[in-house]
C-alpha cells in the first residue's frame, strides 16, 4: 500500500526526527493513481473532461527540522508546518521548485529550482530574499549553481553540500560562502 508523504500516520515519525534533530530527505514523484490496480481509475479519459482534475497538490521537496516541516508543492508553493502539522506560513513561489529536498541553514531555507538555480527564503516568514538582500559573496556562490542536479544534494557537514550535475561534483559551502 502506498502512503502519501503528508499522511497523518507519519506525524509521530516527523515528531521523533524533529525531537532528535535528525533531518529527513524525501523525494516524491509518482501520483496516487500509479499505485492503483488496473481498472476504471486508469481508463482513458473522456476528451470532453478537463485534464487530470482528480490530481491533488503533491509535495515535491521536503525538509524536517526542530523548526517544523518545510515543503515545496506541485502548485509552486513553499509551506512551513510545525511538528504537529499546523500551518505556520504558506508562500506562493515565483519560480518552479525542483523535486530536490530543501536545505535549512541558519535562518534560511534553500530551494533548488528548475531550470537550475537556488532561491533563498527566510525561515520565519517564507519570504524570498532578493539577490541584493543576500550577502554579496553568498549571492555570487549561489549564482554558480547553473546546472540541473542529477541527484539530491548530499550534506557533508554543517552548511556544506555536494551537488551532482552533468559536469561533475561541486562542494557548496554556505558557511564559508564558496564553491
Amino acid at each position: 500500500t502506498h502512503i502519501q508523504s503528508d499522511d497523518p500516520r507519519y506525524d509521530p515519525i516527523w515528531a521523533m526526527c524533529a525531537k532528535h534533530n535528525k533531518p529527513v530527505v524525501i523525494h516524491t514523484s509518482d501520483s496516487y493513481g500509479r499505485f492503483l490496480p488496473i481498472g476504471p481509475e486508469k481508463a482513458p479519459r473522456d476528451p470532453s473532461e478537463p485534464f487530470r482534475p482528480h490530481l491533488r497538490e503533491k509535495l515535491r521537496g521536503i525538509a524536517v527540522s526542530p523548526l517544523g516541516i518545510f515543503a515545496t508543492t506541485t502548485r509552486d508553493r513553499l509551506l512551513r508546518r510545525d511538528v504537529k502539522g499546523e500551518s505556520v506560513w504558506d508562500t506562493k513561489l515565483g519560480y518552479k521548485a525542483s523535486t530536490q529536498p530543501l536545505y535549512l541553514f541558519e535562518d534560511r531555507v534553500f530551494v533548488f529550482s528548475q531550470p537550475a538555480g537556488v532561491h533563498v527564503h527566510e525561515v520565519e516568514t517564507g519570504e524570498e530574499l532578493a539577490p541584493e538582500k543576500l550577502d554579496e559573496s553568498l549571492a555570487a556562490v549561489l549564482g554558480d549553481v547553473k546546472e540541473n542536479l542529477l541527484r539530491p544534494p548530499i550534506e557533508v557537514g554543517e552548511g556544506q553540500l555536494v551537488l551532482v550535475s552533468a559536469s561533475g561534483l561541486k562542494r557548496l559551502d554556505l558557511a564559508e560562502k564558496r564553491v
Side-chain angles (χ1 to χ4, degrees), residues 117-136:
V118 182
H119 296 262
V120 183
H121 295 261
E122 290 184 353
V123 166
E124 292 302 317
T125 64
E127 176 187 346
E128 183 175 3
L129 298 173
E132 59 271 8
K133 284 189 168 184
L134 295 174
D135 174 282
E136 188 176 307

Side-chain angles (χ1 to χ4, degrees), residues 95-98 100 110-120 128 141-149 153 163 172:
Y95 58 90
K96 185 81 170 165
S98 77
Q100 305 300 350
F110 293 82
V111 180
F112 294 88
S113 64
Q114 299 173 342
V118 182
H119 296 262
V120 183
E128 183 175 3
V141 164
L142 296 179
D144 283 345
V145 181
K146 296 181 180 4
E147 294 181 84
N148 285 324
L149 301 179
L163 307 178
L172 176 61

